[in-house]
């Protein structure tokens, strides 16, 4: 999600800086698993709905603090949900603080510290555990995507023109590369970034590009798979799809479609994936043996096994998406 939106116009990716582009009146669209994904044991549920929106953009950043879940939205609100359970409603949760339109965008955590980007506020700030403002970290024009580097406690931040490396303790930043990126994810070795309809992977040390997903229309937030999902990255798109991409051969598999606008995704500590939609956050739960976290909370594997989900995801035939 950011001021650069990727559209398909006669098969050509075109950019817009508005950041509020609507992809049609799809707020009530329902993200639905493909038959193959359901057979593989994936399930979808709704963590929370009834978020306010601006245009087609609603919830964006998600951060975890103990049992609480902080969520930012494009109108500028930060809310703190009391639990990580499904079936909650944003309109019943008090706003902790409103930062102004487009000033509460992506979120990332380093230890117990919570950081948030702001496009209109042009920077990265630190939040208190209750969602209120703590301090400014760095200024960065139209700051959008953000992810923590687990190897050194730094933050990668995108703005559509560059990706920067932020030291939140020293409050300094350096340019990582000149990619016009949106959503970000990393395993500490490779930084994955949504760039012009592709997911590119960059070696964190050399900064060289080491992966290209191939074209994925309107791709945005991404998350890596672990366990039986290892070797794949999962992408949320502005046009209501979830796409799995094999990291070895870039083969693409459609996991879900029919949703509303998708922007960022956030890995839940319990191993599931929280996926933003226009006015809701959907939870993607993998089948037995799969996870979106390298170290899921204790009991997660047992819960997945108890659900009776199949591990048939290993048998899914990969295919390249048609351009």
């Amino acid at each position: 999600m950011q001021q650069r939106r990727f559209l398909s116009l006669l098969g050509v990716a075109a950019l817009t800086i508005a950041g509020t582009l609507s992809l049609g009146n799809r707020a009530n669209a329902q993200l639905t698993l493909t038959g193959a994904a359901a057979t593989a044991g994936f399930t979808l549920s709704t963590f929370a709905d009834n978020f306010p929106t601006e245009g087609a953009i609603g919830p964006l950043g998600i951060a975890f603090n103990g049992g609480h879940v902080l969520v930012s939205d494009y109108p500028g609100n930060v809310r703190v949900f009391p639990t990580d359970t499904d079936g909650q409603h944003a309109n019943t949760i008090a706003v902790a603080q409103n930062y102004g339109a487009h000033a509460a965008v992506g979120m990332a955590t380093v230890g117990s510290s919570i950081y948030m980007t702001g496009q209109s506020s042009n920077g990265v700030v630190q939040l208190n555990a209750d969602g209120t403002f703590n301090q400014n970290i760095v200024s960065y024009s139209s700051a959008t995507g953000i992810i923590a580097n687990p190897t050194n406690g730094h933050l990668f931040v995108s703005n559509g023109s560059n990706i920067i490396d932020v030291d939140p303790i020293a409050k300094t930043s350096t340019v990582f590369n000149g990619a016009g990126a949106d959503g970000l994810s990393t395993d500490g070795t490779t930084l994955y970034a949504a760039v012009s309809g592709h997911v590119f992977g960059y070696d964190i040390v050399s900064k060289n590009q080491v992966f290209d997903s191939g074209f994925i229309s309107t791709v945005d937030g991404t998350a890596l798979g672990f366990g039986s999902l290892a070797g794949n990255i999962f992408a949320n798109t502005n046009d209501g799809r979830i796409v799995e991409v094999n990291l070895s051969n870039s083969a693409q598999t459609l996991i879900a479609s029919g949703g509303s606008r998708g922007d960022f995704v956030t890995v839940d500590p319990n191993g599931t994936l929280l996926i933003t939609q226009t006015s809701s956050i959907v939870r993607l739960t993998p089948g037995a043996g799969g996870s979106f976290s390298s170290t899921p909370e204790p009991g997660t594997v047992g819960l997945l096994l108890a659900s009776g989900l199949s591990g048939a995801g290993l048998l899914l035939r990969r295919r390249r998406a048609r351009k």
Side-chain angles (χ1 to χ4, degrees):
M1 135 3 6
Q2 67 175 40
Q3 77 276 14
R4 296 181 59 159
R5 299 298 171 196
F6 305 112
L7 302 178
S8 176
L9 296 178
L10 300 178
V12 179
L15 296 175
T16 178
I17 306 301
T20 56
L21 178 67
S22 171
L23 295 177
N25 184 19
R26 303 180 63 187
N28 296 317
Q30 184 67 46
L31 190 65
T32 303
L33 292 169
T34 63
T39 299
F42 288 98
T43 61
L44 288 170
S45 56
T46 300
F47 165 69
D49 58 14
N50 293 329
F51 284 92
T53 64
E54 179 168 332
I57 307 172
L60 293 169
I62 303 170
F64 299 89
N65 177 45
H68 299 161
V69 184
L70 285 75
V71 180
S72 62
D73 61 46
Y74 210 44
N77 306 299
V78 172
R79 290 177 171 81
V80 181
F81 288 80
T83 69
D84 188 18
T85 55
D86 288 341
Q88 301 187 68
H89 310 289
N91 59 348
T92 67
I93 305 297
V95 173
Q97 185 167 333
N98 181 279
Y99 290 81
H102 315 169
V105 186
M107 285 188 182
T109 58
V110 177
S112 60
S113 298
I114 303 168
Y115 300 97
M116 183 175 73
T117 57
Q119 289 181 348
S120 61
S121 57
N122 296 316
V124 179
V125 301
Q126 182 178 353
L127 305 184
N128 295 312
D130 63 0
T132 58
F133 175 82
N134 180 292
Q135 62 174 331
N136 290 309
I137 300 300
V138 296
S139 296
Y140 185 44
S141 177
S142 300
T144 301
I146 184 170
I147 193 72
N149 182 346
T151 64
N152 61 6
H154 287 196
L155 302 162
F156 290 113
V157 180
S158 67
N159 77 342
S161 297
N162 297 290
I163 300 172
I164 60 171
D165 183 323
V166 175
D167 182 337
I169 303 303
K171 298 184 180 180
T172 59
S173 64
T174 57
V175 174
F176 176 78
N177 70 16
D182 196 341
L184 304 172
S185 62
T186 185
D187 57 4
T189 299
T190 305
L191 174 66
Y192 296 95
V195 180
S196 300
H198 292 245
V199 177
F200 291 145
Y202 302 97
D203 182 271
I204 287 178
V205 175
S206 70
K207 303 182 182 180
N208 293 328
Q209 183 182 319
V210 294
F211 174 73
D212 181 354
S213 66
F215 184 69
I216 306 173
S217 179
T218 71
V219 66
D220 203 325
T222 59
L224 291 161
F226 295 90
S228 62
L229 302 182
N232 299 288
I233 191 167
F234 294 77
N236 194 17
T237 72
N238 294 167
D239 60 7
R241 295 174 296 131
I242 303 297
V243 179
E244 178 189 78
V245 184
N246 186 281
L247 294 172
S248 296
N249 57 22
S250 298
Q252 298 178 14
T253 301
L254 184 65
I255 298 297
S257 63
S260 54
R261 182 188 175 99
D263 284 289
F264 295 151
V265 302
T266 300
V267 175
D268 191 302
N270 66 16
T272 63
L273 185 65
L274 295 180
I275 298 166
T276 62
Q277 295 282 276
T278 290
S279 59
S280 66
I281 297 173
V282 174
R283 186 188 303 276
L284 178 64
T285 300
S291 179
F292 294 101
S293 172
S294 59
T295 54
E297 290 178 339
T300 299
V301 174
L303 288 173
L304 291 174
L305 290 174
S307 70
L309 299 178
S310 167
L314 295 174
L315 303 178
L316 273 178
R317 179 176 297 175
R318 306 295 188 240
R319 63 173 177 78
R320 290 190 180 275
R322 295 180 179 179
K323 304 296 179 70

